[in-house]
Every structure is written in C-alpha cells, then in structure tokens.
Amino acid sequence: MPLIRVLALLGSGKRNMNPLTTKFEGEARLLAQALVATVRQPLLILDSSFRVLTANKGFYDMFRISNSETEGCVLFDLGNGQWNIPLLRKLLEHILPDQSEVNGFEVNHSFPIIGERVMILNARTLVQRPNEPPLIFLAIEDATKRIAKTHELELSRDFAEGVIETLRDPLLILDVELNVLSANAAFYKSFPYAAEETEGRKLYDLNNRDWNIPALSTLLENTVLKNSSFRDFELDHVFPGLGHRILLLNGRRVYEKGERTDKILLVMEDITERRRQESSIRFQADALNRVNDAVIAIDKAGGLTYWNSRAERLLSIPSKSSEGIQLANICTHLEGESPGALFEISSEEQPWREYRVRLKDSDDEYYLESSATTNFEKNGKPAGSLVVLRDVTVKKKAEIRLKRMNEELDLFTSIASHDLQEPLRMVSMYMGLMAKAYQGKLGPDADTYIGFAVDGTKRMKALIDDLLKYARFEAGGEKLRRVALNRIVKEVLHDLQVSIKEMHATVQVPDLPEVISDEAQMRQVFQNLIGNAIKYRSQERAPIVTVATEKTPTEWVISVRDNGTGFDMAFADRIFKMFQRLETKTSVS
C-alpha cells in the first residue's frame, strides 16, 4: 500500500470499534512508521504548530542534523533558524490549510552547511481523530542537480539555437527519414523558400524537387544514414530559378539526450563565387606564365609574393616551393648597371627603362626593359610593387649589329662615291677626248671600240649610282609615310610622255590606293616597270601597258602587265637579281 495512502487512512478520523478494524489501524500505523524510517527521501511529520514529531534518516543525512536537534523543535527554528524560509512558511501557514494537499512546490534556499539547494516539497494534512489537531506530512526532494541539469540543457539548447540562427551558412536539421525539421535564417536567405513549404517536408521534395539530386541522395543515404558523417563534399548543381551553384556540404548524425530519434545536421556553404574567382586566378596565372615578360610581385618588406615562370627562368629564381625569397637575394645574383634599379618604381615620363645585366657565375648577358608600379591593398594602402621585366636582348643585339652594318655601309658608300668614281671619271673623260680627237682617223673598227669603251664607262657609272642607292636603302632609306600612288603614277607618265608618243603606247591605270611606303622608291619602281614595258616592246604592235590592283585582307597587290616580247620563265630568278638583265649589247669581234 502506498505510503501517502497509508497515512491518509491513519488520519481519516473514522473510528470503528470493530476489532478487525482496530487491528488494521494498528498494523497500518506500524507500517507507516516503518516506511518513514526506511525510505531514502527526506520525510517530516509535524504537528499543527509545525513542531517536528518525527523525521527519517534521509532527512538527517541530507541536512546534517541530529535527532536531538530536530524532534520536538519547531521546524522554523531548526539549525539556528536556517529553516525559517519565507516560501516554506507560505506553504505551511497559507496554502496547505486551504488545499490540504500540495505537490511539486519549489523552494530555493541557501543552507549554511550544505549550501544552495532547490527542494521540491509535497505536503499533506493528516487528520487523526475527531477533536484532535491534524498532523502535517512533509516529503522533501533535493532537485538541485536535476534542475541545474535541466537549466544547463535549456541553456545549451538556447545557445545551440542561437548559434544556428547566427550562422552565415545555410543549415538544415533533418530527421532520419530526411524530413526537414527546421532551417536557419541563412538557408531562407540563400534559398527563397517559405518556411511552411520547407519544414515537415522531405528534403528531396523541396521547391518542386529542386533538391532531388542523385549525388546528394547517395551522400546522405550511404554516409549519414549509416551513423556516419562527411566533410567538404562539393555539390555542383543547377537549381531552377537560382542558376548554377557550387555548395560545400558538411553533415553529421547527432543524438540529443532525451529525444526519441537522432537528427541530421546538414550545413552548406555557397562557394560559387570563390570557385569563380579561383578559376579566374588560375586563368590569369596561366596567362602570365605564357607571356614572354617576367612578372614579379614584391611586398613592402622586399619579399617575393609572386613570380611567373618567365621570371623564374630569366632571373634563376628558386622553385616556388621555397619560402622567404627576398629581392635582395635576387639582386646579388645580378651584375651590371645597379641591379636594384630594375625593381624601382617607374615614372610617368619614363615608364620603361633599359638595363644591361649579367647573371653571376654565368655567361648569360641580357638587355632588360623594366617597368614597375605600386601595388595597393583593398584599403588603398601601398602593399608593395609589381614589376615587369621585358627581355629585349635579341632586339638590342640586332640594333647593335645593324648600327655596325650601317657604319660599314656608310664607309662603303664613301669609298664608292670617291675612290671608285674618281678613276672612272678619268677613264670616261679621256675616252671622250680620244673619240673627239681620232673620230674617223683610226678606221671604222677603232671608232667602234672607242664607242664601246665610252658606253661601258657610262654603264659602269650607272651601276655605281644604283649600288649607292641600294646601299642607302639598306641603311634605312627615307622614313615611310602615306603615299598616294595615283599622284606618283601620274608624275611618272608625265616624265615618259615623249616615249609614249613616239611608241604610240597606251597606259591603262585604274584608281590606285594610298599605301605606307618610301615615295622615291615607289616612283622608281613604276618608272622602271612602265619604261621597260615601252622600251622592250613588240615590233609588230604598239605597246599596251596595264596597271592592276587587288585588295587582300592584309595588303594591296599591284601588278604591271604589257603586251611585249616577255621573257623565258627559266630566267625569272636571274632577272630579279641585283644588276642583272637579259639583253646586253653584242660584242664586236
């Protein structure tokens, strides 16, 4: 029989003189006393003036008080008044008289000996007999640890919920059937779904089955549902209405004490933009590694933070796996015109500067053009510098060779102009005098030979003049500029008008373009082509010369065609060589 029921029977106030009833009451009282003595929960029996009639061992053990200090004393006076608790007085003096039974009344009190305690009190009024004051039965439960644990769990739950809500990454809480129990604010911000359309629904069915993704299904069913977890699973998917997304998923199956089933936490980080930037950076790095220029980034402390493959080869920079490479270490491997100047910030007036350097312990010599600019952080503060080094060694050495060749050509033209032409002028002069003095006096053969000699000196002078023109052209010629070919050809035809009239020649010229060229050279080309077409004509018909043009995507093709005798294509290579012609004067034997 329950203890409270036994005590209720003892205090029912009903007297029955039946011997059996009297015997039962006696046995019940003995049983109640035995229960009070043996139960572990602290128990007190008080009279109507709240004096302690009896207490059990559980009470004495918990509150560390003796029997002599308890029984017969008013409850509120126990332990030097430590039981004079306002809430306890309220229970016994005001609540219990009206209700006769109170359960689960919580009292929080600090006892000098045992410290802070949270007690759950159950009290009941027990009526003994008519005209006798009732007794009060008081059961005490020490709920300090239980309530502290409950409070701790509530705090933990509040903390966890707070963390979940403040996470910047979307989070879903699923049950083992993959139904969505809840989602945080970040999820609804990233995926514009309504809460009522999300919570309580299976993950795969969200938003018209946007999340019915085979890779995700395999992941959850083969890992999390098998009491496991996963980290950094990359999900690449196109969500209708949202577009392409790359999500980094982390999942874990957790067991929460007191809950009936496990839960699954699914955290997702949108790394779409990060992957796009990484791809862009890889593309830029690949592009920089393909250019011929060396690119180097240097921080404020003089450390190399980036260099492309061209810089690594050009300056013998150690492998990129090396750390702490300093600019000073690179400069010590260079010899030349102040190697450190290569990396100094360029001015607007001179964005590129040229330097001649040599690698130590190497025969490699370079001509480098350097351009350096300040590199800035996001906050606008200088972060270091970005340097571009352009290897112009081939170009520079070609310029040196060309300069030397030009100097040699200048020397040659000087010799040709003076040392070669001077004896030629002398021969020409005396042959002319001989022709005048002995014309018809030495016989016809002598006149012919003298004529050949005079003509040869003229042709020799023409060859030397042509050679000088060619040398000057190879040395650089005139500066190229835009030339109107219509004007050039018109002037050439004006110079050839006597030959055109004498030979009854026809010259057909279309509208010609403007080209970038040397005007004098173009004039000479048309003069020679049209003049030769008239000169080397057919004897049976008047010469017809046709100039034609053709525009290609990259150039103008201009041709000159005539109806003359032409030449055997077997001599095509010869006719376009320097100082060569197919027709010459026949020697007289």
Side-chain angles (χ1 to χ4, degrees), residues 17 123 140 202 448:
M17 299 307 294
I140 303 171
K202 191 172 288 292
T448 300

Side-chain angles (χ1 to χ4, degrees), residues 329-399:
N329 297 334
I330 302 300
C331 291
T332 57
H333 291 288
L334 300 175
E335 294 178 342
E337 307 167 3
S338 182
L342 276 171
F343 308 96
E344 293 178 356
I345 303 299
S346 306
S347 64
E348 294 183 2
E349 296 77 15
Q350 189 181 10
W352 290 91
R353 305 180 306 273
E354 184 178 293
Y355 299 91
R356 180 182 178 184
V357 299
R358 178 186 296 276
L359 297 179
K360 285 187 177 180
D361 304 323
S362 171
D363 295 331
D364 296 333
E365 182 180 67
Y366 298 101
Y367 289 89
L368 301 178
E369 288 184 346
S370 170
S371 181
T373 184
T374 302
N375 191 22
F376 293 94
E377 298 176 344
K378 292 182 178 180
N379 58 12
K381 295 182 178 179
S385 59
L386 183 68
V387 183
V388 178
L389 300 178
R390 181 169 296 164
D391 185 357
V392 293
T393 306
V394 175
K395 173 186 171 184
K396 188 65 178 178
K397 289 183 177 180
E399 289 176 353

Side-chain angles (χ1 to χ4, degrees), residues 527-540:
Q527 179 88 23
N528 291 340
L529 290 176
I530 297 174
N532 287 339
I534 296 172
K535 181 178 180 180
Y536 301 102
R537 66 193 183 281
S538 172
Q539 299 297 324
E540 290 81 17

Side-chain angles (χ1 to χ4, degrees), residues 530-588:
I530 297 174
N532 287 339
I534 296 172
K535 181 178 180 180
Y536 301 102
R537 66 193 183 281
S538 172
Q539 299 297 324
E540 290 81 17
R541 55 185 181 274
I544 299 175
V545 183
T546 303
V547 180
T549 62
E550 180 185 354
K551 180 70 170 66
T552 71
T554 59
E555 60 189 1
W556 282 97
V557 178
I558 301 172
S559 60
V560 179
R561 184 184 184 90
D562 64 67
N563 62 343
T565 58
F567 61 88
D568 191 338
M569 290 300 294
F571 301 106
D573 291 339
R574 176 184 170 190
I575 197 172
F576 292 108
K577 288 183 178 179
M578 192 184 305
F579 312 126
Q580 295 291 318
R581 62 172 60 185
L582 295 183
E583 293 187 10
T584 60
K585 291 191 176 182
T586 305
S587 301
V588 177

Side-chain angles (χ1 to χ4, degrees), residues 315-565:
L315 300 179
S316 297
I317 300 176
S319 171
K320 290 187 179 181
S321 60
S322 303
E323 296 182 358
I325 299 177
Q326 293 294 310
L327 178 61
N329 297 334
I330 302 300
C331 291
T332 57
H333 291 288
L334 300 175
E335 294 178 342
E337 307 167 3
S338 182
L342 276 171
F343 308 96
E344 293 178 356
I345 303 299
S346 306
S347 64
E348 294 183 2
E349 296 77 15
Q350 189 181 10
W352 290 91
R353 305 180 306 273
E354 184 178 293
Y355 299 91
R356 180 182 178 184
V357 299
R358 178 186 296 276
L359 297 179
K360 285 187 177 180
D361 304 323
S362 171
D363 295 331
D364 296 333
E365 182 180 67
Y366 298 101
Y367 289 89
L368 301 178
E369 288 184 346
S370 170
S371 181
T373 184
T374 302
N375 191 22
F376 293 94
E377 298 176 344
K378 292 182 178 180
N379 58 12
K381 295 182 178 179
S385 59
L386 183 68
V387 183
V388 178
L389 300 178
R390 181 169 296 164
D391 185 357
V392 293
T393 306
V394 175
K395 173 186 171 184
K396 188 65 178 178
K397 289 183 177 180
E399 289 176 353
I400 294 173
R401 287 196 300 270
L402 181 60
K403 182 179 179 182
R404 185 170 60 249
M405 290 173 62
N406 287 339
E407 292 173 351
E408 293 172 354
L409 282 172
D410 287 341
L411 178 61
F412 168 76
T413 56
S414 177
I415 294 173
S417 298
H418 299 88
D419 298 349
L420 292 180
Q421 293 205 42
E422 185 60 30
L424 182 61
R425 281 194 297 269
M426 182 177 294
V427 172
S428 178
M429 180 184 67
Y430 283 109
M431 291 304 297
L433 292 175
M434 183 178 291
K436 290 180 180 181
Y438 299 103
Q439 180 71 34
K441 297 179 180 181
L442 299 177
D445 288 344
D447 292 342
T448 300
Y449 295 155
I450 292 172
F452 284 163
V454 172
D455 187 57
T457 58
K458 291 179 180 178
R459 286 190 290 111
M460 184 64 181
K461 185 178 186 307
L463 287 173
I464 292 175
D465 290 340
D466 290 342
L467 185 61
L468 290 173
K469 291 179 182 178
Y470 179 78
R472 293 190 183 100
F473 175 76
E474 287 296 310
E478 298 294 330
K479 183 178 181 181
L480 300 182
R481 61 180 181 175
R482 187 172 293 277
V483 177
L485 295 185
N486 280 328
R487 177 177 57 80
I488 295 296
V489 174
K490 183 178 179 180
E491 293 173 355
V492 168
L493 294 178
H494 181 270
D495 294 340
L496 295 173
Q497 61 180 336
V498 175
S499 297
I500 293 173
K501 288 181 180 180
E502 288 179 352
M503 305 302 173
H504 305 287
T506 300
V507 182
Q508 300 172 344
V509 182
D511 186 33
L512 298 175
E514 291 185 346
V515 296
I516 305 299
S517 181
D518 182 317
E519 182 172 336
Q521 297 287 340
M522 291 304 297
R523 186 187 305 277
Q524 188 172 2
V525 167
F526 281 105
Q527 179 88 23
N528 291 340
L529 290 176
I530 297 174
N532 287 339
I534 296 172
K535 181 178 180 180
Y536 301 102
R537 66 193 183 281
S538 172
Q539 299 297 324
E540 290 81 17
R541 55 185 181 274
I544 299 175
V545 183
T546 303
V547 180
T549 62
E550 180 185 354
K551 180 70 170 66
T552 71
T554 59
E555 60 189 1
W556 282 97
V557 178
I558 301 172
S559 60
V560 179
R561 184 184 184 90
D562 64 67
N563 62 343
T565 58

Side-chain angles (χ1 to χ4, degrees), residues 17-31:
M17 299 307 294
N18 188 309
L20 291 176
T21 300
T22 303
K23 181 180 179 183
F24 172 77
E25 289 181 355
E27 292 177 350
R29 187 176 298 276
L30 292 175
L31 177 60

Side-chain angles (χ1 to χ4, degrees), residues 170-172 183-193 198 206 211 268:
L171 179 142
L172 289 175
N184 67 348
F187 177 84
Y188 291 116
K189 183 178 180 180
S190 300
F191 302 94
Y193 308 153
T198 303
L206 295 183
W211 290 79
M268 53 198 76

Side-chain angles (χ1 to χ4, degrees), residues 167 169-172 230 248-251 265-269:
L167 279 176
D169 295 327
L171 179 142
L172 289 175
F230 62 88
L248 200 63
L249 304 182
N250 287 276
L265 300 182
L266 182 63
V267 181
M268 53 198 76
E269 179 185 358

